[in-house]
């Protein structure tokens, strides 16, 4: 969107006023450029694209009441735009930060507790999954959260959430029994199967379109050690790996303890591909039969071992780079996977930018055992159904240093994914669903939920946010009225 200089000046004046009003009520929780809190928060973003944006001020929230006060002030100042920041793992510019507006940093809301019988874990919306696993592991329970511990509870859950436990309990959002949320009016409310059940469903896949979630209550899962690690094969064995992946992901009776990601990596500097798989088993079993075919393929490295979730999820931090995420969902087919690699290679091999680029392609099963939970516990709006059959989600990521190449990388990635979609469509394997948490801003994940779900979400927005605060004043993320 082009913005004139006049509009920019107006926005800047509004933001200054907005931050001053917030400072009056929230005092030192509001920080400004040049102050150490502001600098630390800016530096905490995961992607370059997000950390280079400059809000007029940050709110470092530490209680639900801070968020409630802030939203009531902001939502009544016309044109004061804001962003909601969790653990910042959505890389696109503006998803969790904003130029010239207010960014509400939720990471201070990270307290975790369990109820008496440990069946429900209450988690502050700004926590990281590692915080959660470290708290829950010693209690012998867990929740179906993110695989990389640095990822945020807020963004992952509101967009769906693929966890190691998904085949046992569904998308992460399917396991939420209560959302504590600040609505556009500033009102703090609980949303669950009995209180606002219509909004309860909308929040399960609805992203940041309905309010700022301050706490999630998740159903827990009894858990001890799991089998985790990765195996790396020589790239010449890729078709055998694809066959093993497809046999597992496409199985008529999918083993619900099975959760794997097959990852392909292409490094422009060496023009080399590599392939690895993380075959997780969410039970303490060293050699589960489900992985026999995969593990019979000669490997160069294997780190598979029994471990705790909190140990395994503590992955080393990645360097701050520019990142692009694109996604697609497909029916399971070895032939499609082979064509996918050929198609990606046809572009990636000769594509280069100053200081190079790394491309990563992740293949993640989406079996019907996961999608069958979509109609339980009040339902979700993702539009994924067991009637689609077993499928898999593909995440294409690009990571590179040279910011001047951002547009070129985005366009190239978009073309590659469109090409793959064309191939899959021709084979009758293209699915409408595009996973929100892996989607680029140019994609339309909400449209992919299907017409009925889109209409439902729009209805909920009119009911709970009649002024459209989360549609127009929170520009980051995927919005309801822009989708198909
Ligand atoms: C290294 C890595 C590993 C990943 N692993 C997984 C995985 O295992 N499974 C999976 O499903 N996905 C995974 N993802 C994708 C991840 O789910 C998304 O990136 C997700 O958006 C991250 O959430 P966040 O809170 O960290 O991000 P943020 O960038 O802080 O937020 C993402 C979006 O959610 C909104 N949001 C955040 N908190 C709130 C809140 N409290 N209320 C309202 N809106 C909010 C923000 O406004 C923003 O639009 C991974 C991503 C990365 C980079």
């Amino acid at each position: 969107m082009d913005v004139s200089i006049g509009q920019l000046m107006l926005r800047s004046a509004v933001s200054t006023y907005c931050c001053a009003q917030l400072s009056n009520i929230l005092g030192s929780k509001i920080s400004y450029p040049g102050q150490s809190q502001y600098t630390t928060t800016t530096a905490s973003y995961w992607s370059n694209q997000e950390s280079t944006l400059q809000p007029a001020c940050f709110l470092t929230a530490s209680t639900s009441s801070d968020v409630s006060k802030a939203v009531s002030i902001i939502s009544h100042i016309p044109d004061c735009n804001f962003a909601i920041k969790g653990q910042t793992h959505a890389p696109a510019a503006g998803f969790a930060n904003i130029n010239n507006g207010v960014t509400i940093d939720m990471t201070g809301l990270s307290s975790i507790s369990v109820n008496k019988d440990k069946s429900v874990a209450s988690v502050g919306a700004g926590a990281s999954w590692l915080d959660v696993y470290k708290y829950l592991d010693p209690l012998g329970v867990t929740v179906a959260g993110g695989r990389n511990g640095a990822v945020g509870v807020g963004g992952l859950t509101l967009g769906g959430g693929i966890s190691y436990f998904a085949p046992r309990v569904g998308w992460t959002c399917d396991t939420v029994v209560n959302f504590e949320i600040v609505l556009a009016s500033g009102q703090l409310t609980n949303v669950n199967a009995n209180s606002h059940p219509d909004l309860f469903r909308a929040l399960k896949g609805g992203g940041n379109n309905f309010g700022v979630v301050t706490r999630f209550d998740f159903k827990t899962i009894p858990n001890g050690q799991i089998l985790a690690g990765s195996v790396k094969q020589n790239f010449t064995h890729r078709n055998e790996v694809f066959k093993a992946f497809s046999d597992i992901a496409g199985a008529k009776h999918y083993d619900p303890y099975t959760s794997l990601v097959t990852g392909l990596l292409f490094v422009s500097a060496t023009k080399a591909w590599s392939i690895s798989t993380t075959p997780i088993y969410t039970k303490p079993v060293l050699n589960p039969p489900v992985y026999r075919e995969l593990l019979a393929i000669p490997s160069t490295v294997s780190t598979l071992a029994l471990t705790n979730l909190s140990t395994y999820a503590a992955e080393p931090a990645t360097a701050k780079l520019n990142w692009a995420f694109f996604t697609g969902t497909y029916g399971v087919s070895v032939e499609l996977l082979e064509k996918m690699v050929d198609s990606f290679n046809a572009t990636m091999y000769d594509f280069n930018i100053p200081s190079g680029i790394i491309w990563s392609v992740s293949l993640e099963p989406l079996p019907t055992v996961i999608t069958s939970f979509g109609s339980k516990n009040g339902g979700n709006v993702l539009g994924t159904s067991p009637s689609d059959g077993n499928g898999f989600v593909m995440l294409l990521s690009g990571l590179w240093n040279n910011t001047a190449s951002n547009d070129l990388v985005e366009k190239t990635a978009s073309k590659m994914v469109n090409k793959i979609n064309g191939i899959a469509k021709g084979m009758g394997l293209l699915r409408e669903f595009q996973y929100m948490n892996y989607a680029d801003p140019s994609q339309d994940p909400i449209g992919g939920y299907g017409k009925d779900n889109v209409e439902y979400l729009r209805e909920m927005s009119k009911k709970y946010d009649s002024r459209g605060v989360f549609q127009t004043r929170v520009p980051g993320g995927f919005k309801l009225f822009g989708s198909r």
Side-chain angles (χ1 to χ4, degrees):
M1 194 196 337
D2 288 332
V3 182
S4 71
I5 293 179
Q7 281 170 314
L8 274 178
M9 283 169 66
L10 177 68
R11 209 172 273 173
S12 162
V14 169
S15 307
T16 306
Y17 174 75
C18 198
C19 291
Q21 295 300 305
L22 289 167
S23 288
N24 284 342
I25 304 296
L26 292 154
S28 61
K29 291 184 177 184
I30 303 298
S31 64
Y32 293 92
Q35 294 184 332
S36 64
Q37 182 62 55
Y38 185 102
T39 309
T40 310
T41 311
T42 299
S44 71
Y45 279 90
W46 183 70
S47 76
N48 241 346
Q49 290 103 319
E50 283 278 70
S51 68
T52 44
L53 300 183
Q54 292 190 315
C57 59
F58 279 109
L59 161 61
T60 306
S62 53
T63 64
S64 306
S65 160
D66 290 344
V67 180
S68 161
K69 284 176 192 160
V71 173
S72 4
I73 294 169
I74 297 172
S75 67
H76 287 97
I77 301 175
D79 296 325
C80 177
N81 289 354
F82 65 110
I84 309 154
K85 169 188 174 290
Q87 295 284 343
T88 76
H89 277 63
F95 271 38
N97 203 2
I98 191 164
N99 265 333
N100 238 336
V102 178
T103 295
I104 302 180
D105 181 4
M106 297 295 293
T107 56
L109 279 85
S110 58
S111 72
I112 304 158
S113 60
V114 289
N115 65 350
K116 217 168 170 194
D117 67 1
K118 297 189 278 187
S119 60
V120 174
S122 297
V123 179
S128 72
W129 290 106
L130 189 58
D131 296 334
V132 179
Y133 302 145
K134 278 185 176 164
Y135 183 92
L136 295 180
D137 264 2
L139 304 179
V141 293
T142 196
V143 289
R147 292 161 294 194
N148 179 317
V151 173
V153 170
L156 181 137
T157 307
L158 292 168
I162 305 177
S163 88
Y164 296 134
F165 297 87
R168 288 167 58 185
V169 296
W171 294 91
T172 303
C173 64
D174 295 332
T175 71
V176 177
V177 291
N178 182 61
F179 298 86
E180 184 192 76
I181 186 171
V182 172
L183 297 172
S185 60
Q187 186 199 341
L188 182 69
T189 190
N190 282 295
V191 175
N192 52 53
N194 302 313
S195 159
H196 312 298
D198 51 0
L199 183 57
F200 184 50
R201 185 175 152 229
L203 285 172
K204 293 191 259 168
N208 67 7
N209 281 297
F210 297 99
V212 186
V213 175
T214 48
R215 196 191 75 228
F216 297 87
D217 297 336
F218 294 102
K219 265 190 249 178
T220 60
I221 307 160
N223 187 50
Q225 287 201 309
I226 59 168
L227 176 71
S230 67
V231 285
K232 200 169 177 177
Q233 279 96 3
N234 194 301
F235 194 64
T236 51
H237 289 294
R238 65 186 175 280
N239 290 350
E240 292 154 71
V241 177
F242 292 157
K243 165 86 170 48
F245 175 90
S246 302
D247 286 348
I248 296 168
K252 193 166 175 209
H253 300 290
Y254 188 97
D255 179 338
Y257 294 92
T258 305
S259 174
L260 73 161
V261 178
T262 289
L264 301 151
L265 212 64
F266 181 80
V267 181
S268 69
T270 54
K271 293 195 187 286
W273 281 94
S274 58
I275 188 164
S276 64
T277 299
T278 52
I280 311 298
Y281 205 70
T282 60
K283 249 188 194 177
V285 176
L286 257 180
N287 290 302
V290 67
Y291 290 132
R292 254 180 220 149
E293 183 187 355
L294 177 75
L295 299 180
I297 305 165
S299 59
T300 52
V301 180
S302 171
T303 61
L304 274 184
L306 296 183
T307 183
N308 292 322
L309 203 49
S310 54
T311 309
Y312 189 62
E315 293 187 27
T318 44
K320 185 156 306 187
L321 292 164
N322 296 296
W323 286 82
F325 278 7
F326 278 83
T327 191
T329 309
Y330 313 99
V332 180
S333 149
V334 180
E335 198 190 341
L336 175 62
L337 293 172
E338 290 172 4
K339 286 187 175 176
M340 228 181 216
V341 171
D342 291 345
S343 176
F344 278 134
N345 189 56
T347 303
M348 290 176 187
Y349 198 83
D350 290 321
F351 179 80
N352 213 348
I353 53 174
S355 25
I357 182 163
I358 295 176
W359 296 103
S360 149
V361 181
S362 297
L363 310 169
E364 310 185 12
L366 184 60
T368 59
V369 287
I370 296 181
T371 54
S372 65
F373 286 91
S375 54
K376 296 177 184 155
N377 184 29
N380 67 38
V381 289
L382 299 172
T384 52
S385 152
S387 62
D388 298 334
N390 290 333
F392 72 95
V393 170
M394 186 273 300
L395 165 63
L396 168 68
S397 333
L399 45 148
W400 69 101
N401 196 22
N402 181 43
T403 300
S405 305
N406 287 12
D407 279 355
L408 179 62
V409 173
E410 289 273 331
K411 281 189 188 125
T412 305
S414 173
K415 268 191 206 153
M416 285 193 287
V417 172
N418 287 339
K419 214 163 130 191
I420 301 287
N421 288 347
I423 294 168
K425 195 170 183 186
M427 297 171 75
L429 295 169
L430 180 66
R431 301 274 169 82
E432 281 288 297
F433 179 72
Q434 296 175 339
Y435 180 31
M436 177 188 282
N437 285 342
Y438 291 171
D440 180 78
S442 64
Q443 299 192 283
D444 181 17
I446 290 180
Y449 292 175
K451 201 166 163 280
D452 290 352
N453 285 318
V454 173
E455 269 169 27
Y456 181 75
L457 287 167
R458 289 177 178 164
E459 230 177 82
M460 289 303 103
S461 170
K462 285 180 192 150
K463 178 170 174 186
Y464 288 98
D465 179 14
S466 57
R467 290 177 297 141
V469 170
F470 287 90
Q471 296 310 302
T472 56
R473 309 275 298 285
V474 180
F478 295 98
K479 301 287 106 175
L480 303 177
F481 292 87
S483 61
R484 271 174 267 163

